[in-house]
Amino acid sequence: MKLLFHPKSIVFLSGIIIILLIFYVLNIISVHSVNSKTANRKTYKNRKQPFSEKIRKIDIPERIVHIDLKGAPPKISYFSQLLPLLRKMGATGILLEYEDMFPYSGVLSNVSALNAYTLEDIREIIKFSQTNNLKVVPFIQVFGQLDFLLKLGSFVDFREVPSFPSTICPSDNNTLLLLQSMIEQVMDVHNTSDMIHIGFGSVPFLGHCHKCINRMLTQQLTKTQLFLEHLRWIVKIIKHKNPSLKVLIWDDFFRTCKQEEVETNFMKTEITPVVWWYGKDVYDELGPSLWNTYSRIFNNVWLGSAFKGTSGSSKYVSEINHYIQNQNSWLSVIEEYQEKINFQGIILTGRQRYDHFAVLCELLPVGIPALAMNLRLLQGFKDSPLGPPLEVAKILQCDQPYGLIGTAFGSPKCKFPGADVLEFTIHFHQLQQDFLEITDDFRVKGWLSDYNKLHSYSNPKHVEEIAVALDRIKSELQVVNIGISNAMLKVYDEFTVMEWLDTYLSPFEKEVSSLWEAKKRILSTTSWQRKPLGHSSEL
């Protein structure tokens, strides 16, 4: 009998039906949650459903994608494939967080990582971006989160607290000279950019060192004033080199400041805050009083949402629903306050690791589906009545759209640049879940405990019952090891690949091998000694 539809078409259509049903349920849950919170706090306006045919009335001109280079720089060849995709998804620019991936020179020459980009590499990224009509915004830290600089022996004396290499002392005579060199080197290669991000977020131990304490006493400064003085000097360095350059900074320090301390002409005209929050509900942290204050202090405001790297420091798979809820919450903020505040743009944050010393979290290709979904949300999905999931499945060439929702629904089987990394990461995660089921099984807990394994002493019937599943995991893990290594090498250098394997795959491989070897020893045993086990007189 001749089929009316190709089997692949049937699978795709089934996927569409499933994904629409799932998102319908998620919408009901989301709206119910929102309505409950609205009734309690009365800070929300009536929210629309996250995925609706109705276009949300928002105006957010710039949608900048954060690319975190901390110790895991994508290959330049990958940028040539990634940037056209970002533009297609709706991005208007990229935010490059260099840290130690910039090729510093002079007094900063030993700050760069041994696998840092060259100046020519950076020029290539800029050229690819311009070709795809994407802005490039350099991002450098100049106060807190300077671990990559202050960890080095030659810069220990610049630390605010000797034992913690995170915050630089703003009162040291040489600090500004050091930071000026860093800023100017970055600005030289980014001489076509119209914006720069200088961090200024969390600043642990502000005003702790003896130099800062003496300065505050002598000049009668509060910690807020010490912070603002350092900010003014940094902005002065930037404006001296390029007066028209817009300066972005994180806003979190200002959230606890007294309004009279920060309501100045400098704050209105010289800097633009990026108000960030990466939780599911922005209103949990950023309430009406903050927006009312910011509307008076700042002429313009940027926002910071997230598409990866904010749901757990060692999460290597994406909790896509977390990021969708975060973005949707920001849309509600924009709708509510856009007549009061001039929202110029939004940065979609994608950490590669939480700080310089942390392990890798979600890799860039793993976060692409969530990024695509959030970018479509920001654009109001004008070109499709079906909403972001199916649009994204089309853009990323996914055979199984329902896999975009999360790992519980399997792999979306996409074909975007780096999709193989996502595919093998999901496969690896599934193997970990399968292994967890085995180790939680009563037969393992009762007959394959550490004591059983130590003495190779167990009931082979129960051990044999879990052998097939364990053999499959061990076999598939070998396939994943080879597959993810090859896939990652298309995106990253060998150092990044080795770090990921050492952080996630190798420890798991040891766990699986330990249980498998114990299983093998027990099933090869045909007779057992008398108890007590390990007794020295036992023959």
Side-chain angles (χ1 to χ4, degrees):
M1 183 176 70
K2 187 175 181 181
L3 292 174
L4 294 177
F5 299 100
H6 191 278
K8 286 189 176 180
S9 299
I10 296 173
V11 171
F12 186 78
L13 289 171
S14 301
I16 289 176
I17 295 169
I18 292 171
I19 199 169
L20 288 174
L21 287 173
I22 291 170
F23 270 97
Y24 175 75
V25 173
L26 289 176
N27 289 344
I28 294 173
I29 294 171
S30 177
V31 171
H32 174 74
S33 175
V34 166
N35 289 340
S36 298
K37 291 180 179 179
T38 303
N40 291 334
R41 294 197 305 265
K42 296 184 179 180
T43 57
Y44 290 102
K45 288 189 173 181
N46 292 328
R47 292 192 186 182
K48 299 175 181 65
Q49 292 186 5
F51 301 99
S52 167
E53 295 181 23
K54 199 167 184 178
I55 298 172
R56 302 180 103 154
K57 295 178 181 178
I58 62 169
D59 181 18
I60 196 83
E62 298 289 354
R63 299 173 295 276
I64 307 296
V65 176
H66 173 225
I67 299 180
D68 186 0
L69 304 175
K70 285 198 287 286
K75 291 180 176 179
I76 303 304
S77 58
Y78 184 67
F79 273 101
S80 68
Q81 304 168 55
L82 173 69
L83 296 179
L85 178 63
L86 294 185
R87 186 63 199 177
K88 187 176 182 180
M89 292 192 300
T92 61
I94 58 173
L95 177 74
L96 290 178
E97 182 174 0
Y98 283 110
E99 210 190 55
D100 59 353
M101 287 300 135
F102 189 88
Y104 296 107
S105 59
V107 68
L108 296 167
S109 58
N110 70 327
V111 172
S112 304
L114 298 176
N115 60 336
Y117 290 141
T118 65
L119 288 176
E120 186 55 38
D121 289 336
I122 296 173
R123 292 188 186 103
E124 281 290 295
I125 295 172
I126 294 171
K127 185 177 74 173
F128 291 147
S129 300
Q130 292 171 338
T131 300
N132 290 282
N133 197 25
L134 293 168
K135 290 187 175 184
V136 181
V137 183
F139 177 15
I140 51 175
Q141 300 284 1
V142 290
F143 206 170
Q145 299 182 34
L146 279 168
D147 311 70
F148 69 96
L149 172 76
L150 300 176
K151 71 177 182 180
L152 302 170
S154 52
F155 299 104
V156 167
D157 292 340
F158 286 87
R159 296 177 186 174
E160 181 69 14
V161 177
S163 54
F164 298 109
S166 56
T167 303
I168 199 164
C169 170
S171 302
D172 189 288
N173 292 331
N174 294 313
T175 290
L176 288 177
L177 293 175
L178 189 70
L179 295 177
Q180 181 175 359
S181 177
M182 181 183 295
I183 292 166
E184 290 181 346
Q185 289 184 46
V186 172
M187 287 179 66
D188 282 341
V189 73
H190 285 280
N191 52 22
T192 58
S193 294
D194 60 3
M195 289 184 286
I196 186 170
H197 197 317
I198 56 172
F200 269 87
S202 175
V203 185
F205 313 112
L206 175 64
H208 272 59
C209 76
H210 71 276
K211 293 176 184 177
C212 285
I213 292 172
N214 289 338
R215 180 183 175 189
M216 287 190 292
L217 289 172
T218 303
Q219 301 178 17
Q220 296 185 330
L221 300 175
T222 64
K223 287 188 177 181
T224 297
Q225 290 168 331
L226 182 66
F227 178 95
L228 293 176
E229 281 297 303
H230 186 61
L231 176 58
R232 285 190 183 93
W233 275 109
I234 295 299
V235 172
K236 185 178 179 180
I237 290 169
I238 294 169
K239 296 291 186 176
H240 178 74
K241 190 170 181 65
N242 185 347
S244 64
L245 199 64
K246 178 181 291 185
V247 180
L248 303 178
I249 69 169
W250 299 125
D251 82 297
D252 36 321
F253 184 84
F254 305 124
R255 296 177 194 175
T256 56
C257 292
K258 295 178 181 177
Q259 184 174 329
E260 58 268 22
E261 288 186 295
V262 293
E263 193 172 1
T264 64
N265 186 60
F266 169 79
M267 300 293 279
K268 276 187 174 292
T269 60
E270 300 298 328
I271 64 165
T272 301
V274 182
V275 188
W276 66 272
W277 185 249
Y278 306 140
K280 292 181 180 180
D281 193 337
V282 176
Y283 285 87
D284 284 343
E285 176 69 14
L286 310 176
S289 62
L290 178 131
W291 299 111
N292 291 333
T293 299
Y294 280 8
S295 69
R296 291 189 291 269
I297 296 175
F298 303 108
N299 285 337
N300 304 299
V301 168
W302 276 60
L303 304 175
S305 64
F307 73 91
K308 77 179 187 74
T310 64
S311 63
S313 59
S314 60
K315 289 281 184 68
Y316 63 85
V317 290
S318 178
E319 292 185 16
I320 195 164
N321 194 44
H322 173 99
Y323 300 115
I324 290 173
Q325 289 185 52
N326 170 256
Q327 191 63 71
N328 204 50
S329 184
W330 274 116
L331 288 174
S332 295
V333 170
I334 297 167
E335 283 184 296
E336 185 166 348
Y337 292 102
Q338 63 184 344
E339 294 180 5
K340 193 172 188 176
I341 298 175
N342 182 26
F343 295 119
Q344 289 191 320
I346 187 167
I347 294 172
L348 295 96
T349 306
R351 288 177 185 150
Q352 190 59 84
R353 58 180 91 233
Y354 272 45
D355 68 21
H356 183 77
F357 293 101
V359 298
L360 294 165
C361 47
E362 300 111 296
L363 297 171
L364 183 54
V366 174
I368 292 294
L371 174 61
M373 206 83 76
N374 284 355
L375 284 168
R376 302 312 289 172
L377 279 168
L378 284 169
Q379 294 168 90
F381 19 98
K382 300 174 183 177
D383 51 356
S384 170
L386 297 177
L390 299 184
E391 291 180 28
V392 169
K394 184 177 179 181
I395 292 170
L396 301 183
Q397 303 177 64
C398 304
D399 292 336
Q400 297 179 177
Y402 48 87
L404 290 169
I405 298 169
T407 56
F409 300 94
S411 168
K413 298 191 180 301
C414 304
K415 297 179 182 67
F416 63 86
D420 286 350
V421 175
L422 172 64
E423 184 77 20
F424 283 109
T425 300
I426 291 174
H427 191 174
F428 174 68
H429 181 260
Q430 186 57 56
L431 291 179
Q432 284 197 312
Q433 298 304 303
D434 293 346
F435 186 71
L436 185 61
E437 288 184 15
I438 290 177
T439 55
D440 281 345
D441 191 285
F442 75 95
R443 288 163 292 196
V444 171
K445 290 181 178 294
W447 285 273
L448 264 175
S449 68
D450 289 343
Y451 183 78
N452 295 117
K453 289 187 286 185
L454 176 65
H455 298 286
S456 297
Y457 193 89
S458 188
N459 186 332
K461 175 182 179 296
H462 293 304
V463 175
E464 193 171 67
E465 286 171 351
I466 59 97
V468 174
L470 189 58
D471 289 346
R472 177 188 64 79
I473 291 173
K474 187 173 185 295
S475 175
E476 288 187 24
L477 188 56
Q478 293 174 343
V479 174
V480 168
N481 192 344
I482 296 170
I484 200 165
S485 298
N486 292 335
M488 285 181 65
L489 282 171
K490 297 176 184 176
V491 179
Y492 298 104
D493 60 25
E494 65 272 23
F495 306 107
T496 304
V497 177
M498 188 58 64
E499 180 185 351
W500 196 94
L501 294 176
D502 288 345
T503 301
Y504 296 109
L505 195 141
S506 295
F508 179 59
E509 198 170 42
K510 289 178 182 177
E511 284 187 74
V512 173
S513 294
S514 174
L515 191 61
W516 190 87
E517 290 294 339
K519 177 266 304 182
K520 181 181 177 183
R521 289 194 304 271
I522 289 169
L523 292 182
S524 65
T525 302
T526 56
S527 62
W528 295 267
Q529 65 187 52
R530 289 184 298 167
K531 290 185 175 180
L533 302 182
H535 193 277
S536 58
S537 63
E538 185 62 53
L539 297 178

